[in-house]
Structure formats: structure tokens, C-alpha cells
Amino acid sequence: MITSNRRLALLSAFVLTGCAAPQTSPRAPEARAEPSHAETVPSPTGDIHDFDFEVGNWTLANRRLKARGVGSQDWEEFLSYSRGTQYLGGMVSVDEMTLPSKGFSGLTVRVFNPTTRQWSIYWVNSKVGRLDPPQVGGFNGNRGEFYGEDEDNGRHVKVRYIWIKSGPDTAHWEQAFSYDGGRTWETNWMNELTRTSR
């Protein structure tokens, strides 16, 4: 029969040797998917009024690479025209762009999420008839950055839009693709926007 003192001594030894609780083996690392857009690219936030300036009529002077992702410096230049409108108190910003020399039109739909304070920008053109994956982000002052992922001729790309507001009647937009996960970027389309009465 174990006395009270002996029982206390055994219990103390049990605790001191680390046996008071079952030992667990180290956990195996959890399976982790490839880093998501949010983990690899900055996600700027913005304000519901970021695209207020876009309301109205614009003429766009476009420069677009003739071939993307091949190191080309051969650009084409053409004009396009757009008209911007807003819905839901500015939470939704829409513009329709016509490109007379290219034979198609496009529609941009921007939706503001008040919880994340970010815009999701969707593009659809009349040749394809589907919404492209969104670019997500916002403005810091007069500069906006928006990031997403898509495919370019079967190649996975990260996509970046940059907006620069340079006054009430002028703005700059550009699109760049990264074919190496965001380490380097190739700008492939730019336009200079000028407000018109058209």
C-alpha cells in the first residue's frame, strides 16, 4: 500500500519528467495552395468616390502593343470614345467604350465593396461576350492600382491596371501583364483620356 507521502513523491516525479500530459508528435505542415493574389500582390484600398471623375464623355488616345509577351516594342495607335455613368449612389461605375477602327466595343463595370474598401473592375468586349476576371484595388490620392489574374493566349498572367487622375478633364490608364508571377511587368496598353462634350 502506497502511503500519502509516497503517493505525493511519485506524482511530483511524474510531473517533473514531463509525463503529466500525453506527448504529441510534431504536426506535419498543412497542405498549402499556391499563394493567392492577396498574398503576392498589394491590394490597395480606396473610396466610393474614386471613379466620380469618370462620369461623362471622353476621347481616348490609345497605344497598344501589337504582340504581347514577346518583348515587342511595336505599338499601334488609335482613338476610342467612352461614356461613364454611375449607379447605386456611386457604388457602381460603368463606362462603354467604342473603338471604331477596331470593329468592337467594350464595357467596364466597377463595383465598390464598402467592407473591404476595394473596387472590383470587370471588362467585357463585344467580340467575346463574357466578363473577364476582376482587377481589385483602389486609389491612394490620384493614383489607383488594381490587380488580378487572367490568361493571355493560354498563358497564365497577373494583370495590373494603373489609373492616374491629372485633373477634372484628363486622366491616364494603363494595363500591364506579368508572365513570371509578378516579378516583372510588361505594359501592353495605355490611353490618355480627355473629357469631351461628345
Side-chain angles (χ1 to χ4, degrees):
M1 182 175 180
I2 301 176
T3 66
S4 295
N5 288 341
R6 175 69 175 154
R7 190 178 294 120
L8 184 59
L10 287 172
L11 181 59
S12 298
F14 192 67
V15 171
L16 289 174
T17 57
C19 299
Q23 295 296 306
T24 58
S25 58
R27 289 178 61 181
E30 293 181 9
R32 186 174 176 84
E34 184 177 351
S36 69
H37 154 73
E39 294 171 316
T40 59
V41 177
S43 296
T45 56
D47 182 82
I48 195 171
H49 298 293
D50 281 343
F51 285 100
D52 285 0
F53 78 96
E54 248 273 303
V55 174
N57 300 306
W58 299 83
T59 296
L60 292 73
N62 295 266
R63 292 187 74 229
R64 187 173 66 175
L65 276 181
K66 291 183 178 179
R68 298 184 298 266
V70 294
S72 172
Q73 289 300 315
D74 191 10
W75 295 82
E76 60 177 341
E77 299 185 359
F78 53 93
L79 291 178
S80 60
Y81 307 92
S82 73
R83 175 174 176 78
T85 55
Q86 288 183 323
Y87 301 92
L88 305 180
M91 185 175 285
V92 177
S93 169
V94 177
D95 71 72
E96 182 177 8
M97 182 168 65
T98 58
L99 301 91
S101 66
K102 298 301 169 187
F104 71 94
S105 299
L107 190 76
T108 302
V109 179
R110 308 176 191 92
V111 181
F112 184 72
N113 182 326
T115 302
T116 62
R117 294 179 47 239
Q118 290 184 315
W119 289 90
S120 294
I121 302 178
Y122 301 87
W123 164 258
V124 58
N125 77 57
S126 60
K127 284 185 176 179
V128 179
R130 65 171 174 79
L131 288 174
D132 286 347
Q135 317 311 309
V136 179
F139 276 81
N140 182 7
N142 288 325
R143 179 185 174 89
E145 292 188 19
F146 307 85
Y147 295 89
E149 303 192 24
D150 205 342
E151 286 191 356
D152 181 37
N153 294 322
R155 299 168 67 183
H156 177 264
V157 293
K158 291 187 178 295
V159 182
R160 180 185 68 197
Y161 291 169
I162 292 178
W163 273 97
I164 298 174
K165 297 183 279 189
S166 49
D169 298 323
T170 57
H172 170 87
W173 172 87
E174 63 184 57
Q175 171 184 272
F177 289 173
S178 175
Y179 299 89
D180 58 12
R183 291 186 294 276
T184 61
W185 294 89
E186 177 188 73
T187 300
N188 56 54
W189 195 347
M190 299 180 283
N191 54 53
E192 306 298 329
L193 292 84
T194 303
R195 189 180 300 280
T196 67
S197 59
R198 177 185 171 95

